[in-house]
Amino acid sequence: MSEGYVLTAEARDRVGKGSARAIRRQGDIPAVIYGDNKPPMTITLPRKDVWLKIQQGGFLTTVGEIEVGGKKHKVLAKDYQLEPVKDFVLHVDFLRISARTIVTVNIPVHFVNEEDAPGIVEGGVLNVVRHEVEVNCPADAIPEYFTVDLSGAQLGDALKISSVALPDGVEVTITDRDFTLATIASPAGLKSDEEEAEAEVAPDEVEATEQKGDAEGEGEGEEEGGEE
């Protein structure tokens, strides 16, 4: 689990677009804390502090604390909005959490030991199908990432979610199949010995088949002519 953070915020009474724009002009951002069967709380946060936490990574999977008026609220950032042109933070939604809170989050997938994967050593390519996996888990036990060990992976192998040891209390949201996280694929133009062998014999086989077909066709024509 990623190391938590602490942000200091100010409560705000005014809401709406006009109030939000005024807050942003001051160098801050509007935010809201909701959940845990308590009324939503609208707050103001320093934009620089929030942007720093986002840039550090894991912002949406790290439990933090927001101090408002001397009281700390344990939270998990659920969403944030960025200005589409200048790419600065416009707004953040925080979920208020407790020991019993179950959250749905996307956990990054890390692939290790590529140098010990025969399929990659032979020229294969790691084709990542899923960079993240969505899970349900306790808010105070969110995994920082999942690790997939590529040791022994051969050309054509598919690395499935079943190869990941999930911590207690963590469940993937896709439960109807053992889905693929990555494959070891042959690079374009690379053929196996079997494929090359098939390519060599294929023309002869086709020619033999055509000759056989022609002979059968001639026989059928003679029989049809005799019946007439």
Side-chain angles (χ1 to χ4, degrees):
M1 185 173 178
S2 301
E3 185 178 351
Y5 58 86
V6 178
L7 294 172
T8 302
E10 294 183 2
R12 61 187 176 99
D13 297 325
R14 296 181 57 194
V15 294
K17 294 183 179 179
S19 175
R21 284 194 291 266
I23 291 171
R24 295 182 189 113
R25 284 196 296 267
Q26 297 171 0
D28 296 327
I29 59 171
V32 61
I33 302 175
Y34 66 94
D36 199 27
N37 297 318
K38 297 177 182 178
M41 175 184 295
T42 53
I43 59 174
T44 299
L45 286 166
R47 178 188 299 156
K48 182 179 179 180
D49 293 349
V50 175
W51 180 244
L52 179 61
K53 300 304 178 186
I54 292 175
Q55 291 299 300
Q56 289 175 348
F59 186 57
L60 297 179
T61 58
T62 302
V63 174
E65 290 185 341
I66 296 181
E67 184 175 345
V68 186
K71 183 179 180 180
K72 291 185 178 180
H73 302 264
K74 201 171 184 179
V75 299
L76 176 69
K78 292 298 293 180
D79 190 24
Y80 59 87
Q81 299 172 8
L82 297 178
E83 205 281 330
V85 177
K86 298 182 180 180
D87 203 36
F88 59 78
V89 185
L90 294 175
H91 188 274
V92 184
D93 292 336
F94 292 97
L95 175 66
R96 186 187 289 109
I97 65 173
S98 64
R100 62 180 182 275
T101 304
I102 301 296
V103 296
T104 301
V105 291
N106 290 315
I107 305 301
V109 180
H110 292 182
F111 298 90
V112 299
N113 297 326
E114 289 190 34
E115 67 279 5
D116 295 326
I120 295 179
V121 174
E122 293 169 8
V125 176
L126 176 64
N127 176 35
V128 178
V129 178
R130 292 177 181 271
H131 293 274
E132 297 180 328
V133 174
E134 186 180 71
V135 302
N136 295 322
C137 64
D140 58 356
I142 301 174
E144 185 174 357
Y145 54 83
F146 292 140
T147 300
V148 176
D149 189 354
L150 299 174
S151 298
Q154 305 284 343
L155 277 173
D157 281 357
L159 293 310
K160 306 279 189 175
I161 185 61
S162 57
S163 66
V164 177
L166 300 178
D168 291 341
V170 178
E171 299 179 350
V172 295
T173 58
I174 298 176
T175 58
D176 61 342
R177 64 187 185 278
D178 187 15
F179 56 88
T180 300
L181 301 176
T183 61
I184 307 299
S186 298
L190 180 65
K191 293 183 178 180
S192 66
D193 293 339
E194 293 181 358
E195 290 174 331
E196 291 178 353
E198 290 175 359
E200 291 175 357
V201 302
D204 295 336
E205 292 177 354
V206 171
E207 183 177 353
T209 301
E210 290 176 348
Q211 291 176 352
K212 181 180 179 182
D214 292 340
E216 291 176 349
E218 292 174 359
E220 290 175 356
E222 292 174 359
E223 290 178 0
E224 291 176 358
E227 288 178 353
E228 292 177 354

